[in-house]
Every structure is written in C-alpha cells, then in structure tokens.
C-alpha cells in the first residue's frame, strides 16, 4: 500500500482496453467448463479494477482542485470514453449471463450478480452512448458551475462550502446576510441552471425512449440498481411519510422556533438548533482527525484497523480550500483496496458528520475488500447509506471527543432532531424528480411550480422571507443530486429509517446491534437488499405501518415524550456534503 499522493496516474488507453475485453469475450466463449469461465472472469476483474482505479484517481484529483488544467482535461476525456467502455462491459456480461455453465458461475458469484447483469443489459446500448457522453458533460458543467462561486464576505472570497458557517451563525443578522449572499449567487446563475437541467431532462428522456421505455423513470430505477423493489414500494413509503412523518417533523420545527425564541421562523433560522447557535467542534481540523482516530480505536478492533489504514495512507482530503469542488463523498480505489474520503471541513458540526457518515461508507468498503468476488461490492445506494447513517449513531458515545462535555448534549440532540426532519425533505426531492421525469415536456417555470406545491405538502412551515431565488421555487437547484444523480435521493430516506432501527437496538443491546451491523457490512451485495435486512434483523421501511412504528419506537428509545430535546443537523450531513460518487 502507498500514500494517496504517491499513487501513480496513467491515462487509460480505451483502444487497448477494448481489444483486451474482446479477447476476454472470446476466451469466455471458448471455455469448456464453468471453472474455466470463472478463471476468465477473474481476468476481467483485474482489467476492470485497473480501469476503475485510474478513472477514480482522476475524478478525485479533479475535485480536489477544480482549477487543475491537467485533471480537468483528463476528466473530460473520461466523460467521453467511460460510457462506451461501460457498454462494452455489458457486452461481456451478456456472454457471462448466457453461459451454458450458469449454475457453476451463479454458485461462485451469486444470483444477485446475475440479476444486476440483467438490469445492466436493459439500461445501456451502443445507441445511447453519445447521449450518455453528453449527460456526463452536462453534469460536470453543473458541478463546475457550483464550484465557481466566489462570494465576497467582509473582504474575503468564499465558495459555497466556506459560506456554510455564516448560514448557521447564532446571530440572526449574520445568517440572514449570508443567505442573501447565497441567494444572490444562485440568482446570478439562474438561467444557466434552468438551461442545464432542461437539457439533462430531455437527454435522459431521449435515452429512455431509445432503450424502449416510455419515460426516464423506469430506466432511472434500473440505473439505481433497484433489483428487489420498485416504484409501488417507494410511493407507499412516501405516502406513509406524508401521513406520519410530516406532522412529526413540523412539531420539531415548532419546538425549534420556541427554542430560538422567535415569533416566526424563516428559512434562515431552521438550520439553527438553539439560541447559542449550533454546537461547533473544538480544535483544528488536524485535531478533529486525531479525535476520530481515538474514537475508531475504541469502537472496535475492526474500526481501529480501518482508520489507522486511512490515516497512514492519507486517504482523507477533508480540509476546505477555495478551489475544491463542493460537498463530500466516499469512493474506492480497487487496485489498492483503499476507500477514499473527500470533504470540506468548515468549522461546523458537519465536520464531525463527515467523520461518522463518510467513515461508515469507507469502513464498509474496507471490509468488502476481504471478499474476492467483485460483484459483492456492487451495493445499491439504499444499502450503502445504512452503513453511513448507522455509523453516526454507533459513534454517539464518543461525541465528547469533538465537542467537549458542555456541547455534547446539544450535538447529540441536534443530530437526532435533524435526522428526523430530514425524512420529509428526502421524500419531497424524490417525488419532485418523479413528477419531472413523468412530464419531461414541462417548462422550467412549471417545474418550479411543482416544487412549490410539494413544499406546501412536505414542509408547510417554510417561509423564505424575501429570498427571491428560493421563493420562485428554485431551492431544488442547489440540491445537486437532482442534477448529478437522478432518482438517488430516496435512498437516504430508506437508509435513515433503517438507521433509526439500529439506534433503537443499540440503546437496548449495543453488542447485538454492532454484530448485526458488521454482518450487514460484510454481506454487501451478495444478497438482495430486502433479504439482507431480514438476515440482519432489520425491518423494511416499505412495510405498511412501519413509519408509525419507527416513530413510536424512536420516542421510547430516546426515553422521552418530547423529542425536541434531541436533534441533528441534516443539511450539513445529507445534502451535498455526503454525495457518494462511486465509479
């Protein structure tokens, strides 16, 4: 193993890779047994690992410094080349899928892998490669547009991430001015945001029609690798959230208003936990990392080994810099069996959220490296987010390392409260995207009207108080999952509800909950999502009545009738700060 900075980068020659893949397909067809075909498949693993490692190295280094011209050119190259490569991989998988030795292969790599191959075959084709290339370029343009923010703040130039502490200031006037600056930036790029999203919707719809779908939504479900549930289950979950969770969240917003001593709460207030502001971690970014190392050393032998590995090999880039991309993510470098965490520390509680949330992803990735079957690491996002959100709760006994004795209770409270109030927002983002892709003919203005309508249903208290960009129904345009990762966002909701179950379980039996969590991480994608929940002892959020049951159990587990005493800041944790940008 080596430090991240020393990992050599070499542009992938896709002409050469294409020839290698064709040779592997030929060998696969000529193999005389399942064992011979599996030996060929292991050669495919090696080739694909090399490609994914170099593509991911480029992506990481491009987001670390969006002004680096070399990696910008390399990223543009991959935006163009990777769709064709992905399509060729599907051609390889078609041969594996149709193998006369399917029973032998399925025994080795599992039925889930073959179901995912079937999904992949339906979701790409040579005909849509130019459209996928265009889609990649549009997404990159959007992300660069957000990264280009240069916000003047008292003589200093800030990007969107570095503005965040002022948006959450305990001083109402400071956060109001910060919100106005944020509003002004988005307003300055409003036309471009409309243009980019309109192109993305039309592009994705055209891809869907080319592949034989009526709209993008069913194609989006396939590309999100939803292999054991569908739209019916998600719509039922959203229905339950509207009935049970929206009133629950609105009660918490009302308690927050009372705690802040406000007659009326507006958008600029709702991200603030109490009159003293949000609890902020103590110490420098380096000291936060050191506290994280102590936390994971004490949590378990497995987490100690994992975090030592991350620190020794400098696999965390978390320091805020003006030329970094916004947000955060965990990704994976297969050749080094190494997770990588990207974030933007900015002195808020979001820095600690990174230590718990993104490390949950990275810890699972580290454990998954023990399994030689690559398909088992190909987890769906609804499963991946359980790893991260549950880790936030498992690390609760160590919050004092970051916040000290006085502020730990506030952070613990804020952490839980915002986890609860996130759920309606997550469903709103999902329903918005369904409406958009069901009606791709909508104009930009009509999409904004849809968002305003959904805000009244999911966040009826919302008042932007004169922030005109947001008042026009544009808040969703800063939620970059909507542009970059279509139909992703409901996965956070599914996982958050499962994480609440782990919270309830660990309060009663911490050892049992941790053993279940380790099992969940190690199962990875060797089982379907619904089956791995069952094997781990977790109830499915899709089941009728479970939202109400989760709410009742939350209240029991937290040992109080008034949940407003506990809380959490989701906007720093779940919005752009924790994008999973896996290859």
């Amino acid at each position: 193993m080596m430090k991240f900075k020393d990992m050599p980068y070499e542009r992938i020659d896709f002409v050469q890779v294409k020839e290698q893949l064709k040779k592997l397909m030929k060998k696969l067809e000529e193999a005389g047994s399942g064992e011979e075909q599996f030996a060929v498949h292991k050669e495919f693993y090696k080739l694909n690992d090399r490609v994914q490692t170099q593509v991911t190295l480029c992506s990481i280094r491009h987001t670390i410094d969006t002004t680096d011209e070399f990696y910008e050119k390399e990223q543009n190259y991959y935006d163009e080349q990777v769709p064709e490569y992905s399509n060729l991989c599907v051609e390889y998988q078609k041969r594996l899928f149709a193998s006369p030795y399917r029973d032998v292969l399925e025994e080795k790599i599992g039925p889930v892998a073959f179901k995912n191959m079937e999904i992949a075959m339906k979701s790409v084709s040579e005909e849509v490669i130019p459209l996928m290339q265009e889609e990649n370029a549009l997404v990159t343009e959007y992300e660069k547009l957000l990264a280009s923010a240069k916000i003047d703040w008292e003589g200093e130039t800030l990007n969107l991430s570095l503005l965040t502490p002022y948006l959450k200031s305990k001083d109402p006037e400071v956060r109001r001015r910060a919100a106005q600056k944020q509003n002004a930036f988005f307003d300055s790029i409003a036309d471009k945001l409309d243009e980019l999203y309109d192109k993305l919707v039309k592009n994705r719809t055209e891809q869907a029609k080319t592949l034989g779908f009526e709209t993008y939504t069913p194609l989006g479900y396939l590309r999100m690798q939803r292999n054991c549930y569908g739209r019916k289950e998600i719509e039922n979950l959203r229905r339950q959230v509207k009935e049970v969770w929206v009133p629950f969240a609105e009660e918490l917003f009302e308690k927050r208003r009372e705690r802040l001593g406000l007659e009326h709460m507006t958008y600029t207030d709702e991200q603030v936990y109490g009159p003293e502001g949000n609890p902020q971690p103590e110490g420098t970014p380096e000291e936060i990392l050191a506290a994280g190392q102590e936390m994971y050393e004490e949590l378990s032998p497995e987490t100690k080994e994992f975090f030592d590995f991350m620190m020794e090999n400098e696999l965390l880039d978390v320091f805020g810099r003006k030329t970094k991309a916004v947000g955060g993510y965990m990704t994976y470098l297969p050749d080094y069996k190494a997770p990588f965490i990207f974030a933007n520390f900015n002195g808020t509680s979001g820095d600690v959220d990174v230590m718990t949330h993104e490390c949950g992803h990275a810890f699972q990735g580290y454990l998954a490296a023990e399994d030689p079957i690559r398909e088992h690491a190909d987890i769906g996002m609804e499963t991946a987010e359980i790893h991260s959100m549950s880790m936030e709760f498992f690390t609760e006994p160590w919050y004092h390392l970051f916040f000290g004795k006085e502020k730990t209770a506030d952070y613990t409270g804020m952490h839980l409260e915002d986890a609860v109030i996130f759920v309606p927002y997550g469903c709103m983002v999902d329903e918005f995207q369904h409406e958009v892709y069901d009606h791709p003919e909508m104009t930009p203005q009509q999409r904004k009207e849809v968002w305003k309508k959904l805000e009244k249903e999911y966040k009826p208290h919302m008042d932007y108080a004169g922030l005109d960009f947001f008042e026009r129904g544009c808040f969703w345009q800063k939620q970059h999952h909507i542009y970059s990762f279509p139909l992703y966002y409901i996965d956070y909701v599914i996982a958050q509800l499962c994480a609440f179950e782990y919270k309830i379980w660990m309060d009663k039996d911490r050892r049992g909950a941790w053993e279940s969590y380790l099992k969940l991480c190690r199962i990875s994608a060797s089982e379907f999502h619904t089956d791995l929940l069952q094997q781990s002892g977790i109830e499915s959020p899709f089941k009728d009545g479970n939202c109400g049951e989760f709410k009742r159990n939350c209240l029991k587990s937290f040992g109080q009738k008034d949940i407003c005493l506990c809380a959490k800041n989701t906007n720093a944790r779940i919005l752009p700060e924790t994008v999973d940008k896996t290859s």
Side-chain angles (χ1 to χ4, degrees):
M1 188 53 198
M2 65 177 71
K3 297 183 189 306
F4 174 76
K5 66 184 179 185
D6 298 325
M7 293 178 185
Y9 169 74
E10 182 180 353
R11 176 187 276 201
I12 294 295
D13 181 344
F14 283 101
V15 173
Q16 184 184 72
V17 167
K18 188 174 181 178
E19 289 306 310
Q20 290 173 298
L21 259 177
K22 286 180 177 177
K23 287 178 182 176
L24 288 179
M25 288 186 231
K26 189 170 186 295
K27 286 177 71 174
L28 199 68
E29 291 170 342
E30 293 173 349
S33 69
E35 291 293 340
E36 285 184 33
Q37 283 197 327
F38 186 60
V40 175
H41 194 49
K42 287 193 282 188
E43 291 184 55
F44 171 76
Y45 285 159
K46 188 174 180 180
L47 173 63
N48 192 53
D49 282 356
R50 180 172 68 84
V51 173
Q52 295 297 341
T53 298
Q54 295 306 312
V55 171
T56 304
L57 274 174
C58 169
S59 176
I60 294 170
R61 288 172 178 165
H62 174 59
T63 54
I64 282 174
D65 183 0
T66 58
T67 64
D68 186 309
E69 292 183 4
F70 174 79
Y71 282 110
E72 180 179 10
K73 289 177 182 175
E74 294 301 286
Q75 186 61 52
N76 292 339
Y77 169 74
Y78 290 125
D79 283 348
E80 183 178 329
Q81 295 293 325
V82 167
E84 187 173 353
Y85 170 72
S86 298
N87 189 65
L88 200 58
C89 286
V90 171
E91 290 300 315
Y92 168 84
Q93 289 177 334
K94 284 180 182 177
R95 288 157 176 78
L96 202 67
F97 190 82
S99 167
Y101 313 109
R102 168 77 172 267
D103 56 339
V104 176
L105 293 170
E106 193 163 314
E107 186 178 334
K108 290 183 178 295
I109 66 178
V112 178
F114 280 92
K115 180 63 177 177
N116 290 342
M117 288 179 208
E118 183 182 352
I119 285 173
M121 288 187 284
K122 293 177 181 177
S123 62
V124 297
S125 77
E126 193 169 347
E127 289 81 4
V128 298
I129 288 174
L131 289 167
M132 293 174 72
Q133 292 169 331
E134 180 188 49
E135 180 188 13
N136 284 347
L138 289 168
V139 167
T140 297
E141 188 176 355
Y142 169 77
E143 293 181 346
K144 283 192 67 179
L145 187 63
L146 296 197
S148 72
K150 292 180 174 59
I151 297 169
D152 178 48
W153 184 264
E154 298 179 353
E156 187 179 3
T157 302
L158 306 178
N159 62 16
L160 290 172
S161 293
L162 296 176
L163 183 68
T164 301
Y166 303 104
L167 291 167
K168 298 177 182 180
S169 169
K170 68 178 182 180
D171 185 335
E173 182 55 34
V174 169
R175 57 182 185 257
R176 177 72 186 173
R177 284 195 293 115
Q180 288 169 339
K181 293 278 188 179
Q182 181 191 55
N183 180 88
F185 167 71
F186 279 101
D187 210 25
S188 72
I189 59 171
D191 290 344
K192 190 65 178 177
L193 290 171
D194 284 343
E195 176 192 332
L196 287 173
Y197 195 61
D198 204 53
K199 287 180 178 178
L200 282 166
V201 171
K202 287 178 170 55
N203 173 293
R204 289 164 180 158
T205 300
E206 189 177 347
Q207 288 187 53
K209 289 185 180 297
T210 302
L211 291 168
F213 300 97
E214 189 174 340
T215 68
Y216 177 76
T217 304
L219 174 60
Y221 272 55
L222 293 178
R223 289 185 174 171
M224 285 303 300
Q225 205 167 285
R226 291 178 181 148
N227 54 24
C228 60
Y229 63 92
R231 181 166 182 162
K232 180 181 176 182
E233 288 80 5
I234 286 179
E235 287 179 344
N236 190 46
L237 175 60
R238 293 202 312 254
R239 176 189 61 78
Q240 293 186 75
V241 167
K242 281 184 183 179
E243 292 173 0
V244 176
W245 219 264
V246 168
F248 189 19
E250 288 301 300
E251 289 174 17
L252 299 186
F253 279 120
E254 176 60 17
K255 295 295 182 183
R256 184 165 289 196
R257 181 194 66 76
E258 293 174 0
R259 197 162 55 237
L260 289 167
L262 299 171
E263 289 187 14
H264 176 69
M265 186 168 71
T266 69
Y267 164 69
T268 59
D269 306 313
E270 70 165 36
Q271 296 184 69
V272 182
Y273 179 62
E276 295 303 311
N278 294 341
Q280 295 181 356
E282 298 175 349
T284 63
E286 290 82 3
E287 287 169 332
I288 290 173
L289 287 175
Q293 191 155 18
E294 182 179 346
M295 173 176 72
Y296 284 117
E297 179 176 346
E298 295 178 6
L299 175 55
S300 78
E302 296 89 351
T303 54
K304 178 187 185 311
E305 180 184 302
F306 148 72
F307 202 74
D308 286 350
F309 175 83
M310 297 292 288
M311 292 293 284
E312 287 166 12
N313 294 292
E314 298 176 1
L315 293 164
L316 300 100
D317 189 299
V318 298
F319 304 110
R321 294 188 297 276
K322 293 177 182 178
T323 58
K324 285 180 76 171
V326 298
Y329 59 83
M330 187 287 289
T331 189
Y332 189 75
L333 297 156
D335 278 351
Y336 302 100
K337 296 184 177 181
F340 184 91
I341 291 174
F342 171 97
N344 282 272
F345 276 11
N346 54 27
T348 70
S349 59
D351 300 351
V352 179
D353 298 336
V354 167
M355 294 301 301
T356 56
H357 184 101
E358 297 301 346
C359 281
H361 287 307
F363 177 61
Q364 189 278 331
Y366 183 78
L367 291 180
E370 300 169 2
D371 190 335
I373 305 301
R374 296 293 189 271
E375 287 86 357
H376 292 177
D378 194 16
I379 51 178
M381 288 299 101
E382 76 287 284
T383 302
E385 297 302 338
I386 301 174
H387 306 141
S388 56
M389 291 175 165
S390 299
M391 180 64 85
E392 296 175 32
F393 289 131
F394 277 112
T395 52
E396 190 172 290
W398 290 272
Y399 289 168
H400 67 277
L401 295 177
F402 304 100
F403 294 96
K405 291 181 179 179
E406 292 184 3
K407 292 184 287 186
T408 295
D410 279 349
Y411 177 72
T412 305
M414 184 176 72
H415 179 273
L416 176 59
E417 189 172 282
D418 277 347
V420 171
I421 63 180
F422 164 73
V423 171
Y425 176 77
C427 287
M428 177 168 68
V429 170
D430 183 68
E431 186 167 346
F432 173 74
Q433 292 183 88
H434 278 77
E435 287 292 320
V436 165
Y437 290 114
D438 284 352
H439 305 285
E441 73 284 354
M442 282 196 292
T443 65
Q445 182 55 39
Q446 287 172 324
R447 293 183 194 120
K448 292 167 190 175
E449 293 302 320
V450 169
W451 181 263
K452 287 197 285 187
K453 172 181 172 292
L454 292 173
E455 277 188 329
K456 287 182 173 64
E457 296 175 15
Y458 284 103
K459 297 188 72 173
H461 71 277
M462 178 57 75
D463 177 6
Y464 290 113
L467 296 171
D468 54 337
F469 178 80
F470 299 138
E471 284 184 337
R472 296 198 303 269
C474 301
F475 184 91
W476 59 272
Q477 293 186 301
K478 69 183 285 292
Q479 186 59 68
H480 84 172
H481 301 71
I482 293 174
Y483 283 75
S484 306
F485 305 99
L487 301 179
Y488 181 160
Y489 219 65
I490 196 66
D491 298 72
Y492 287 125
V493 175
I494 296 166
Q496 184 67 78
L497 294 171
C498 291
F500 284 141
E501 289 195 69
Y502 269 124
K503 165 64 177 166
I504 292 160
W505 190 350
M506 71 183 73
D507 284 348
K508 297 174 183 175
D509 174 16
R510 185 175 181 83
R511 180 181 292 276
W514 179 251
E515 289 303 318
S516 167
Y517 177 76
L518 284 178
K519 182 177 182 179
L520 181 78
C521 288
R522 288 190 165 118
I523 290 174
S524 293
S526 61
E527 301 285 350
F528 290 102
H529 172 75
T530 48
D531 293 336
L532 67 87
L533 290 185
Q534 188 174 24
Q535 288 186 32
S536 303
I538 296 293
E539 283 280 345
S540 169
F542 297 129
K543 186 177 176 183
D544 272 339
N546 271 4
C547 268
E549 189 64 22
F550 292 162
K551 174 184 173 181
R552 286 188 290 274
N553 283 335
C554 277
L555 290 167
K556 286 179 189 175
S557 178
F558 304 142
Q560 55 192 26
K561 293 181 180 178
D562 186 356
I563 199 171
C564 77
L565 299 177
C566 297
K568 169 170 188 195
N569 192 327
T570 291
N571 284 327
R573 172 179 58 84
I574 293 183
L575 306 190
E577 297 303 320
T578 55
V579 180
D580 301 281
K581 208 170 182 182
T582 47
S583 312

